[in-house]
Amino acid sequence: IFAIPIIIAGIIGVADDIAKLSPKEKLALLFISGLIVGFLFYNNYYVDLIGVLFIALGIMIFSNLTNMLAGFNGLEIGMGVIASISLAVVLFLDNYVLGGLLALIFSASYLGLLIYNKYPAKVFPGDVGTLPIGAFLSVLAVVYKEYIPFLIIMMPYVIDASLKYLSAGVMSRDEHKPTTLGDDGKLYYIGGYLSLPRLILKYKPMREPHLVAVLWVIGIFFGIIGILISLIT
């Protein structure tokens, strides 16, 4: 049953990669699929009716967030590996062995992809690779009631989405403007909407692998905070 949110989010990702869904269409599909997944977990006694709603909202929101923090070689998959390992540690510390093992299996799968997706990437994940990250981790968080550690672990995604929304509102993919590659091989922010990567480049231009490494460090930082919060609560 824990594979179902991955499969459904992956199918929506395929549809988005092929048909180029609008933001509203994607959110609607993710929410509806989240309700379906939630009721499957409800019927198997994993969650109550409130949990069904939380799963639907979690899949809708966090699948979209893990899809938004993207655009650089190794970024999406690396951040997904960091988030899933962090949540696995939280689950193990709270004696949720099955949940911890599931999160580790998920992270191992993405780690295999990261080998080919890191700079210079030979394989790109697309939405079929990014949407399942938020879907699966949010389901684990709801089923095992790890709400606060999960939210802290996912803070890089929340910060990135907040910067985009505050600076440009809701954008379609056609309105996304790439960063500028200088003659020195560094990426530069030259205006337009803000995001977490662009905020970093605004203050310090750097090469793509270095930027991704900085973002991974940010992900690790929030992962450690999430683990520490789990230990004291």
Side-chain angles (χ1 to χ4, degrees):
I1 192 172
F2 284 93
I4 293 173
I6 300 173
I7 295 169
I8 292 180
I11 291 171
I12 295 174
V14 171
D16 191 29
D17 286 331
I18 294 173
K20 308 302 182 186
L21 302 173
S22 70
K24 290 182 180 179
E25 290 171 336
K26 190 191 301 184
L27 287 175
L29 282 174
L30 288 170
F31 182 73
I32 293 169
S33 68
L35 284 176
I36 295 171
V37 172
F39 277 110
L40 288 172
F41 277 86
Y42 175 74
N43 290 335
N44 285 272
Y45 307 106
Y46 281 99
V47 298
D48 55 16
L49 287 175
I50 296 296
V52 172
L53 179 60
F54 282 167
I55 284 177
L57 291 173
I59 288 178
M60 180 185 72
I61 294 170
F62 287 101
S63 291
N64 200 43
L65 295 189
T66 54
N67 185 50
M68 290 172 64
L69 183 51
F72 302 97
N73 291 189
L75 175 56
E76 306 97 305
I77 303 305
M79 294 294 287
V81 170
I82 292 166
S84 56
I85 290 176
S86 300
L87 186 58
V89 174
V90 169
L91 291 168
F92 279 127
L93 288 173
D94 288 338
N95 295 315
Y96 296 125
V97 177
L98 174 60
L101 288 173
L102 289 170
L104 280 184
I105 292 169
F106 184 83
S107 63
S109 301
Y110 272 73
L111 187 60
L113 176 57
L114 181 61
I115 294 172
Y116 300 97
N117 179 241
K118 64 180 177 61
Y119 185 90
K122 299 179 180 66
V123 176
F124 299 92
D127 289 5
V128 67
T130 56
L131 292 178
I133 298 172
F136 180 68
L137 296 184
S138 60
V139 166
L140 284 182
V142 173
V143 168
Y144 294 104
K145 296 180 173 55
E146 298 287 4
Y147 300 113
I148 295 177
F150 172 71
L151 288 174
I152 295 172
I153 289 169
M154 302 300 284
M155 278 307 297
Y157 298 102
V158 175
I159 294 170
D160 179 72
S162 299
L163 288 169
K164 289 176 179 174
Y165 181 77
L166 292 173
S167 62
V170 178
M171 299 178 295
S172 70
R173 72 184 74 220
D174 295 333
E175 297 173 309
H176 291 187
K177 296 180 180 179
T179 51
T180 297
L181 181 63
D183 294 335
D184 56 1
K186 294 182 179 180
L187 294 169
Y188 288 83
Y189 169 76
I190 58 170
Y193 72 91
L194 276 176
S195 64
L196 185 54
R198 284 167 174 257
L199 184 63
I200 295 169
L201 293 176
K202 182 178 180 179
Y203 293 99
K204 184 174 178 56
M206 59 183 71
R207 296 178 183 272
E208 182 173 349
H210 298 159
L211 172 64
V212 172
V214 170
L215 291 162
W216 285 356
V217 169
I218 293 172
I220 292 170
F221 170 77
F222 280 105
I224 292 172
I225 296 299
I227 293 168
L228 293 176
I229 291 295
S230 176
L231 285 172
I232 63 177
T233 56

